[in-house]
Structure formats: structure tokens, C-alpha cells
Amino acid sequence: MSRRSSPVIPGFGLTLGYTLVYLSLLVFLPLAGMFIYAAQLSWSEFYAIVSAPRVLAALKLSFGTAFIAALLNGVIGTLFAWVLVRYRFPGRKVIDAMIDLPFALPTAVAGIALTALYAPNGFVGRFAADLGITIAYTPFGITLALTFVTLPFVVRTIQPVLADIPRELEEAATCLGARPLQVFWNILLPALLPAWLTGFALAFARGVGEYGSVIFIAGNMPGKTEILPLLIMVKLDQYDYLGATAIGVMMLVVSFVLLLLINLLQRYVAKG
Amino acid sequence: MSTTSHQNSRNAPSWARLALIIAAWATFIVFLVLPLAIVLIEALKMGVAHFFDSMLEADAISALKLTLLAVAISVPLNLVFGVAAAWCVSKHDFYGKSVLITLIDLPFSVSPIIAGLVYVLLFGAQGFFGEWLIEHDIQIIFAVPGIVLATLFVTVPFVARELIPLMQQQGTQEEEAARLLGASGWQMFWHVTVPNIKWGLMYGVVLCTARAMGEFGAVSVVSGHIRGFTNTLPLHVEILYNEYNHVAAFSVASLLLILALIMLLLKQWSESRINRQLNNGDE
Amino acid sequence: MSIEVRQVHKQFGNFTALNNINLDIKAGELVALLGPSGCGKTTLLRIIAGLETPDTGSILFNGDDVSRRDVRKRNVGFVFQHYALFRHMTVFDNVAFGLRMKSRRERPSEAVIAEKVQELLRMVQLDWLSDRYPEQLSGGQRQRIALARALAVEPQILLLDEPFGALDAKVRKELRRWLANLHEDINLTSVFVTHDQEEAMEVADRIVVMNKGVIEQIGTPAEVYENPASDFVYHFLGDSNRLKVADQDIQFRPHEVLLSQVAVADHQPGIVRDIRPLGAITRVTLKVEGQDEPIEAEVPRDDVNLQGLTRGATLFFKPKAS
């Protein structure tokens, strides 16, 4: 790595070295270790593990619910960001502060709380049952739990961008005759889109790997309501290290590819 | 980070504005307030005495101790790392800088289960070092060291993520000025850099601590779930819940909830100080 | 303390910031590095300070080669364009900083430090602000504190990087004069960077005009203004007009012109496009047949040739002999 910095600010070598060593020991090497461990499997063995029906079901469930939850948060998050940035109303500061609650709250606490709420005899679950809808122990419940946990991501990525859009842009559009909805659609949304996509990607990535807040409400029935992280746990409990590793590797690779796609989409949007 | 711009939109008609505000409030209550409330309601279902008993019970106390130990080790270590990484990245220019920044975020985007899995593969019975560890009678997995490692992994990025944009924004001029006036590297760091980043540090530490206290998935994998020995508070909650001891589970959960709310307050406080500092500093 | 710049060359990738620069600055001089953005003046200043290292070449202070010397040991006072005051310290602590950072042996006692700081603050006429924080000061005040801070460690050389660039026009003018006066009092070898030719002319003993990494001319303000060494210097140091007469190309300043309302020998005719009173002077813009660029003439507001002058009228002008 070549250096173009001022010779005045010291500590480059020391801090870079420490950073690299620390990260390698704690993060890179263990992650690499996982891939190396998986390399014990031949391609066909690997494929056999990850294409088992139970694994595929978990894959579809984890990625599917995470996607929908992220989408839901895309809407809810935009609503919150809009209202918090542009309006003044009683309780605004409270809501603003509490948006980060899912971020600060231990996932296990969220898990049991949401289950208590949405179980058939729970506060909300009761009303849903009257309407014939079961929430807990279904993919619906999983999606709701993921929506809670990933709530802050879209809000917090959009908020600063929304706040920074210069007022003059909207004023210019209005002077030229645009109605509020047109201003929103043509001026504001395009400006927010890259940030929205970032928030979406973060929520999605978090949702796929989420464990604590979901396993209580999920029901965990193999093939139906078993999420991918749980399946890894199950394999580990059975001492099937190879199986667990194969699934873990697949999960990482699929997530990585999806995030890369979202990243490319975001860059495309940001340019145009 | 949250921002509080006070632009009052004059464009949207007031009924639309009202509708949006009501929608926000409704969503807020359903999604954020209800879960909070339910924890406290369920915890107090059998009365206050039972509530406190659950929290003071022996296994709960040892779970608390283990949680605090994990926090006490991970947060300072990741604080030092965060400062070093932010220093390296924000005050210097080098090829591969953006790659390094992305890599620092890695633990943030990896599932906590995988975070635990990688350490099992390294130090578990069938892992890379498994036999060596057994020969030397060292236990990492299903023991305290494993829990600390897993917590360390998932909390790596928090301080760095907060400091990097802050220090980038503050630039290098004050440090250069200090050097020109004769300060040594450490003098420059202590007298000039640290006071400027202290609120960012606080913010990062708060987030790091909250995550370390609440980590569940990663710790779940490496812990043996042995009551009184390898259970953190969140794991203890899970055990109580699975035993249908719901009230005790929610009681311990409310302790974690209160801690989380305190973290939120501290986070808000340090964030407002950061914003104040940024707004005043440059003109 | 004299400064010698020998064959200093600096590249950033493909971009040549400084192209084999040679420069001699006498002890006690106040020299301006003047030029447009990107000409290399700030890079040269930072190299003298030790904040950057040249690819080749050397810097000598009083004959000693300091090129390898660490920035801390060069004993250079540096004033940044955006002040770089320590935002979390009071004015007093800012100015005292350099003294407090000295090693045990060299560090004066707190009492001595306090005295020095007060003296410096008095010199910059801001001793009443010593308890304030930078954010409570105006731009002009901050810059004076930055100067006091730089002077506290008794440097042999003072370097200023566009010191007034971030200030309002009026404050800029005031501080300019103040700096020139200060220099007369303390007589410290000083180099300052600016892109404002008026500023360089008003303050400096000598001006170094730079363009694209090269020195175009070095001279006193009078020299570079009256005897510009190149077209670039001429154009950079003031407004200019260009007139083609027969096959001659005459360049002259707007105020170097004689006007007449009636035809006179050697005077060119022009149609008045605009008459603009600018306070003490009035600017008349003339369109001359056969020329693309209009001619701008600046005369005192009570010039006799302005009486009754209207747009569209014909006015005769002649560049003063140059």
C-alpha cells in the first residue's frame, strides 16, 4: 500500500499494523477457516447438502421473509423519516429517540415480547384469531418480528439525506407549477432512492441472519417455519459440523451476491 | 444517526400532514411501544415480589456476571481497535483504504450464528485446534472464553464505524497545527484529537455495550447453556422461557430492557453533543 | 533567518505541482507567493514548513539544510487559512499550547507562560478575549489568535497560507494593513500565500508571481507592476486592455488613458457603451470598430471629458505612453 499522506501526522504504521493484525486474528482468519473447513467437501457433496429439501425450505423462508420485512420497512421507514424531518408535532422527540430501540434491545427480549403479543392468546394475536388469522408460528409472524428488528435501518439512512435536501429545490419546482405530490415523486424520491436502497440492503442483510428475535415466534417446524440460522444450530447440535458449515458458506455467498446486486443497483440509480 | 431538521413543509395540505402524523403515531405504538409494554406487563403478572425474586435468583446473578464480564472485555478491546482503525483511515491516504473500511464492517453484516460457528470450527471438539486444546486441557467452546470471543467478534465495528466519519470530517489541520507548535505524536493525540472525538467515542462505546449485553445468536452457538456457568442474561431468558417460566423470563428480560433504555438515553445525549460540536466548530 | 529554496520539484502522479523552483528570501523580508489556484504556491509553502516533502531539491534556513528535519524541529510559525484553532481550548490555552508542549528542560514555568501569552494577546489587541472559545470569536479575531499562537514559540520564520482568504472583504483589508504594520514591528522573515494581487502589492516587500508550478517573476510590487516579465504577470496583476493599431498590439491599464470629446491627433474613436460611476472613479466602456473586446477606461469622477457624456456618443481615447 503506497502512502500519499503528510509526513507530519504520525502513527500510520502502528495503527495500520494493529488494525490489520486485530482484524485478521478475530475476523478474517476465523471466516477463512470456515471456508477452508467446507473445502473438505467435494462439490457434489456440498451440493447434496445445500439442496436437501429441508435446507431449501429454510433458504426460501429466511430470504423471503427478510425481503418482505425489508420492503415493509422501506415503507414504514420512509413514513417515519418524512414525519420526523418535516413536521413538528407533540411527541416527535420521543419517537425519534425510540426508533433505535430495536437496535439497542437484546434480540431475545424482542423475541419473547413479540411472541407474547402475537401468540393466539396474546394482546394482538387475540384480535387476529377472531379474524381467522394466525400470526405466531407462521411465516407471517417471522416477517413481523423481522420488521421490528430492522425498523431503524431504513429510517436512519433516509433521515439525514432527507434533511439535507436543499429547500430551494422544492421551492423552484413549486414556482414552476408543480403540485406537492409531483414535487415528492419527481424531486424528492429520486434524491432519496440511493439512501433508501442502502437502508433496504442493510435491513435485508440483517433479516436474513437474524436469530434471537425470530426463534421464539417462528415455531421452528422443519420445512415450514425453520429459518436458516436455526438449521445451522440444529446441525451443530447433532455434531454435523460439515453440514452446518456447508449451509453457512452457502448463506454467506448468497447474501454477498444479493448485496452486491443491490449495491450495483444503487450506484446505477445514483448516477442517473 | 438521527437528525432533527425543523423544516415545516408548507407544501402538503394539512389533512395529508395530519394523516401522516397519525399513521406514524399508530405504527410507533403498535411496533415499538406495545412490545415494550408487554415485557413489563408479563413480568409483573405475579406481583412485584416475584419480579425481584427472579432477578436476584442465583442463576440470574451468575448470568448477569457473565454478561458483565463479556462486556468488560469486549468493549475496551474494541474501543482501542476502533480508535486505531479510525486514526489510520481518517488521517492518512493509502491504496486499499476503502477496502479496509468495508472489511471493518464485515462482522456487522454476518449472521450472529455464523459468528459463533466460525469459532466452533476453530476451537470445538472437531475443530482445527480441537485436539490440541483437549490435550492441553483448555476449553474455549462451551466455556467462558468462547462466549467472550463471540461477543468480541460481533462488536468489532461499532466504535470504528462511529469514529471514522467523525474524524474524517474533522480533518487533519488541528493535528498539523499542534505538530508545528512542537507537540510530539502522543501529545498531539491526547491534547488535540481525543477532546475532539470524545462524544463520538462515547456514542460508539454505548452502541458497542448495548450489543455486547444483548448478543444472543453468536453466544448461543458457543455456549453450552450450562446454567450458572455458561449462560449470559439473554440466554438465561431463553432457558426460563422454554421452561414455561414466563414470568421469570420476562422479569429478567425487563432488566435487559431497562438497561437498553438507559443505553438509548446515553446514545441520544452523546449524539446531541456531537451535533452541537459539529455545528459550532466550523464556520 | 534567510530561506533558500534549491531546485525543489514536486509531482502528484502526473501533475507537476512545482517545477524545479529556486528562490532566495532575505532575512526579515515579507515575501508574497502570488498566483492563481493550482499554481503551486501553497505546496511550496508547506514544503518550506515541512508539512510536505519535495521529490527532489532542498530547503535551507540560514545556510543549514533542513530538508530532512522534522516539522517540529524547524521552528516555523504557520498560520492556516481556516485558522486551525483548537476548538475545545480557550484562547489562552491555544496561544499557550506551543510553550506547554516543550520538553521538561525547555519548558518555562506556568507564570512565565501566562506572561508571554498576555503579552502576545496585547500585541494582537485581543487580551480581553483570553477566556473565550474559538467558536465565540469572529473570523478576524480567530486569525489574529492563530497568529499569536504561531508567534508564541518564537519562530524564526512565519508562514501564512492565504491568511485572509476566509474573511469578509472589509475585515480582509483591515487585517492586511495590520499585518504589514506588525511586520514592521517584529521584522520576522515571513512568507505568505495569496491569490489576491491587491493584497500582495499592499503588504509584501517582494512578490513571487507563480503559474503552473513555475516562478514567472520575482520583484518589488513596483517592479512587477511596471515591468512585467511576461504576459501572464501583466494580466494577473491588474485589469488590462488590448488595442490593435495598424500592426501594433498595445496593452494598457484602464487608468492609463487620455480622453477627449473632440477628435484630437493620435486619439482613437469609440462608441460609449456604458458609463458606470464607481465611487472615486468612473468607468467608461467603449466599443471600437474592428475590435472584438471593448475598451475600459477609468478616470476620476470629475474628469472634464465626462460632462454631458451619454451612451451612444463618440469618445476619443489614447493610451498613455508606456
Side-chain angles (χ1 to χ4, degrees):
Chain A
M1 294 186 188
S2 97
R3 209 178 117 201
R4 287 180 288 121
S5 60
S6 152
V8 175
I9 312 283
F12 177 69
L14 180 68
T15 51
L16 183 65
Y18 182 76
T19 304
L20 287 177
V21 168
Y22 191 86
L23 276 181
S24 302
L25 284 180
L26 206 49
V27 178
F28 301 151
L29 290 181
L31 280 175
M34 183 173 78
F35 282 89
I36 295 175
Y37 199 92
Q40 290 175 54
L41 298 164
S42 69
W43 280 116
S44 55
E45 285 172 320
F46 183 85
Y47 185 72
I49 296 178
V50 302
S51 57
R54 189 175 175 189
V55 175
L56 286 180
L59 180 79
K60 275 187 230 158
L61 184 67
S62 277
F63 280 88
T65 49
F67 187 83
I68 297 178
L71 222 47
L72 255 181
N73 266 324
V75 174
I76 297 179
T78 311
L79 168 70
F80 274 124
W82 181 267
V83 158
L84 287 174
V85 167
R86 301 181 74 102
Y87 302 151
R88 263 204 190 113
F89 56 93
R92 186 176 73 85
K93 287 225 170 114
V94 172
I95 297 187
D96 200 9
M98 295 278 278
I99 294 278
D100 284 324
L101 182 68
F103 212 57
L105 193 64
T107 49
V109 175
I112 60 176
L114 290 169
T115 315
L117 264 185
Y118 294 116
N121 58 344
F123 196 71
V124 174
R126 239 175 295 170
F127 295 110
D130 286 342
L131 296 168
I133 314 173
T134 17
I135 303 183
Y137 317 127
T138 67
F140 187 21
I142 297 178
T143 311
L144 275 182
L146 288 179
T147 311
F148 172 85
V149 162
T150 55
L151 191 72
F153 287 108
V154 177
V155 184
R156 292 314 194 203
T157 27
I158 292 189
Q159 250 182 316
V161 178
L162 188 58
D164 276 346
I165 295 179
R167 222 130 149 233
E168 286 91 23
L169 279 180
E170 295 171 68
E171 289 173 347
T174 313
C175 282
L176 290 165
R179 290 187 299 269
L181 207 58
Q182 286 176 314
V183 173
F184 178 75
W185 195 254
N186 290 304
I187 311 276
L188 293 173
L189 266 194
L192 290 177
L193 203 49
W196 190 94
L197 283 172
T198 308
F200 178 84
L202 287 172
F204 180 63
R206 175 71 193 261
V208 167
E210 181 55 30
Y211 180 74
S213 48
V214 175
I215 52 159
F216 296 98
I217 201 172
N220 306 323
M221 287 184 15
K224 293 227 185 86
T225 53
E226 190 181 46
I227 53 170
L228 215 48
L230 178 59
L231 186 50
I232 297 180
M233 269 286 258
V234 164
K235 297 250 171 203
L236 274 180
D237 278 340
Q238 297 166 348
Y239 291 100
D240 181 9
Y241 280 25
L242 282 172
T245 314
I247 300 177
V249 165
M250 174 201 64
M251 200 172 141
L252 272 187
V253 169
V254 176
S255 302
F256 181 71
V257 168
L258 284 170
L259 284 176
L260 199 63
L261 285 176
I262 298 179
N263 207 320
L264 288 174
L265 177 62
Q266 190 191 9
R267 244 182 267 183
Y268 173 74
V269 163
K271 267 188 216 146
Chain B
M1 270 215 253
S2 72
T3 50
T4 49
S5 150
H6 295 297
Q7 290 174 308
N8 239 313
S9 170
R10 296 168 302 191
N11 291 329
S14 37
W15 63 263
R17 214 188 309 166
L18 193 61
L20 287 174
I21 295 177
I22 292 179
W25 258 110
T27 321
F28 173 65
I29 292 179
V30 170
F31 272 98
L32 287 172
V33 176
L34 277 186
L36 276 197
I38 208 84
V39 172
L40 292 168
I41 293 172
E42 292 283 328
L44 294 168
K45 245 191 184 147
M46 296 195 354
V48 182
H50 203 100
F51 176 71
F52 280 112
D53 281 340
S54 316
M55 288 203 274
L56 295 173
E57 194 246 320
D59 288 336
I61 299 277
S62 40
L64 175 64
K65 281 193 203 159
L66 186 53
T67 298
L68 289 177
L69 177 69
V71 169
I73 297 181
S74 337
V75 172
L77 278 178
N78 283 325
L79 174 63
V80 171
F81 166 75
V83 172
W87 181 263
C88 164
V89 155
S90 60
K91 307 283 183 189
H92 302 95
D93 252 333
F94 55 93
Y95 286 120
K97 178 154 77 155
S98 44
V99 175
L100 183 59
I101 296 180
T102 319
L103 288 178
I104 291 176
D105 257 357
L106 212 48
F108 203 65
S109 31
V110 161
S111 168
I113 294 294
I114 295 191
L117 173 64
V118 296
Y119 286 114
V120 170
L121 293 178
L122 277 179
F123 303 124
Q126 291 178 31
F128 282 118
F129 298 110
E131 286 185 22
W132 187 90
L133 289 171
I134 294 177
E135 273 170 41
H136 290 79
D137 204 20
I138 306 174
Q139 246 210 314
I140 297 188
I141 305 298
F142 303 151
V144 173
I147 292 180
V148 172
L149 267 180
T151 312
L152 205 49
F153 182 99
V154 299
T155 50
V156 159
F158 284 94
V159 176
R161 285 180 109 229
E162 179 49 37
L163 285 182
I164 289 176
L166 183 65
M167 284 168 80
Q168 278 177 332
Q169 189 163 25
Q170 290 180 342
T172 52
Q173 286 219 325
E174 285 189 37
E175 279 83 8
E176 280 182 353
R179 292 283 285 172
L180 282 158
L181 290 164
S184 72
W186 286 109
Q187 282 175 320
M188 172 194 67
F189 180 71
W190 273 120
H191 291 277
V192 177
T193 313
V194 169
N196 278 338
I197 59 173
K198 63 178 179 225
W199 294 115
L201 274 177
M202 167 118 191
Y203 187 89
V205 165
V206 168
L207 288 183
C208 192
T209 309
R211 183 65 196 265
M213 278 197 309
E215 180 48 41
F216 183 69
V219 175
S220 202
V221 173
V222 299
S223 154
H225 301 273
I226 307 171
R227 301 179 81 123
F229 285 106
T230 60
N231 270 327
T232 57
L233 276 181
L235 289 177
H236 192 61
V237 168
E238 183 194 23
I239 288 188
L240 290 173
Y241 189 83
N242 287 337
E243 287 176 349
Y244 293 100
N245 196 347
H246 283 202
V247 174
F250 279 104
S251 302
V252 180
S254 43
L255 173 62
L256 284 169
L257 175 62
I258 292 170
L259 286 172
L261 287 174
I262 295 177
M263 290 290 131
L264 265 186
L265 276 173
L266 287 174
K267 176 189 153 312
Q268 281 298 98
W269 181 50
S270 47
E271 192 173 32
S272 69
R273 298 305 288 262
I274 293 176
N275 284 334
R276 202 196 302 180
Q277 191 178 23
L278 285 178
N279 285 333
N280 283 338
D282 349 280
E283 225 129 83
Chain C
M1 174 87 83
S2 67
I3 306 175
E4 278 168 62
V5 177
R6 295 245 163 290
Q7 297 282 90
V8 162
H9 190 94
K10 181 79 179 171
Q11 297 232 186
F12 292 111
N14 280 336
F15 176 68
T16 306
L18 291 171
N19 200 342
N20 279 323
I21 301 286
N22 287 292
L23 182 58
D24 276 321
I25 300 174
K26 302 196 254 296
E29 256 197 310
L30 176 55
V31 167
L33 300 179
L34 174 67
S37 307
C39 70
K41 53 194 194 297
T42 297
T43 311
L44 179 57
L45 195 78
R46 286 174 66 93
I47 286 179
I48 297 176
L51 291 172
E52 312 253 359
T53 40
D55 298 333
T56 55
S58 48
I59 307 282
L60 293 92
F61 291 172
N62 260 2
D64 289 326
D65 187 48
V66 298
S67 319
R68 301 263 161 282
R69 209 180 287 180
D70 186 58
V71 64
R72 291 173 68 202
K73 302 279 187 328
R74 291 203 190 190
N75 209 355
V76 168
F78 200 99
V79 177
F80 293 82
Q81 183 178 5
H82 294 285
Y83 332 120
L85 291 176
F86 304 131
R87 70 193 92 185
H88 62 281
M89 292 186 200
T90 60
V91 160
F92 184 93
D93 290 330
N94 260 283
V95 178
F97 185 81
L99 295 168
R100 290 192 178 137
M101 290 297 119
K102 287 189 190 276
S103 63
R104 274 292 137 80
R105 276 176 287 123
E106 295 174 1
R107 198 185 312 166
S109 69
E110 270 303 308
V112 172
I113 291 181
E115 215 183 286
K116 283 216 78 184
V117 171
Q118 288 300 343
E119 195 186 304
L120 282 159
L121 289 178
R122 269 192 297 269
M123 183 175 76
V124 300
Q125 292 152 337
L126 291 176
D127 43 316
W128 49 284
L129 286 177
S130 64
D131 287 334
R132 304 272 176 90
Y133 284 87
E135 74 200 25
Q136 297 169 294
L137 304 177
S138 72
Q141 289 168 336
R142 287 184 206 179
Q143 199 54 297
R144 284 189 276 165
I145 299 298
L147 188 58
R149 182 179 69 175
L151 292 174
V153 290
E154 288 174 22
Q156 301 278 40
I157 293 170
L158 186 61
L159 303 176
L160 306 103
D161 187 4
E162 307 223 30
F164 312 128
L167 302 169
D168 293 337
K170 191 159 180 295
V171 178
R172 232 193 312 223
K173 286 209 165 106
E174 284 169 6
L175 276 179
R176 218 187 271 173
R177 275 177 218 134
W178 178 82
L179 180 68
N181 286 333
L182 189 68
H183 181 256
E184 275 185 32
D185 289 336
I186 59 177
N187 229 345
L188 200 54
T189 312
S190 309
V191 183
F192 80 99
V193 158
T194 180
H195 61 267
D196 183 345
Q197 81 279 6
E198 212 182 286
E199 189 166 288
M201 304 259 289
E202 182 163 346
V203 179
D205 294 329
R206 278 197 302 159
I207 301 181
V208 177
V209 184
M210 293 180 68
N211 184 30
K212 299 198 181 137
V214 184
I215 295 181
E216 296 265 344
Q217 186 174 5
I218 308 176
T220 63
E223 280 167 19
V224 295
Y225 191 77
E226 318 253 322
N227 303 318
S230 67
D231 260 3
F232 173 81
V233 178
Y234 182 76
H235 287 289
F236 196 79
L237 282 172
D239 296 325
S240 59
N241 291 308
R242 190 184 235 121
L243 185 66
K244 285 200 189 67
V245 173
D247 33 334
Q248 267 194 316
D249 213 354
I250 308 177
Q251 293 196 60
F252 60 100
R253 303 268 184 214
H255 58 269
E256 291 168 343
V257 74
L258 294 166
L259 296 179
S260 168
Q261 285 204 9
V262 294
V264 177
D266 287 338
H267 279 54
Q268 302 282 330
I271 313 284
V272 175
R273 272 280 167 79
D274 191 36
I275 306 171
R276 193 128 318 246
L278 293 172
I281 56 169
T282 296
R283 184 189 298 148
V284 181
T285 310
L286 297 166
K287 174 83 178 80
V288 179
E289 205 182 305
Q291 305 256 48
D292 288 326
E293 300 271 324
I295 300 288
E296 287 188 353
E298 285 174 7
V299 291
R301 57 189 288 273
D302 50 1
D303 188 302
V304 60
N305 292 293
L306 291 175
Q307 279 186 18
L309 197 62
T310 56
R311 285 209 192 147
T314 305
L315 192 63
F316 297 87
F317 70 96
K318 171 176 183 262
K320 282 188 196 157
S322 52

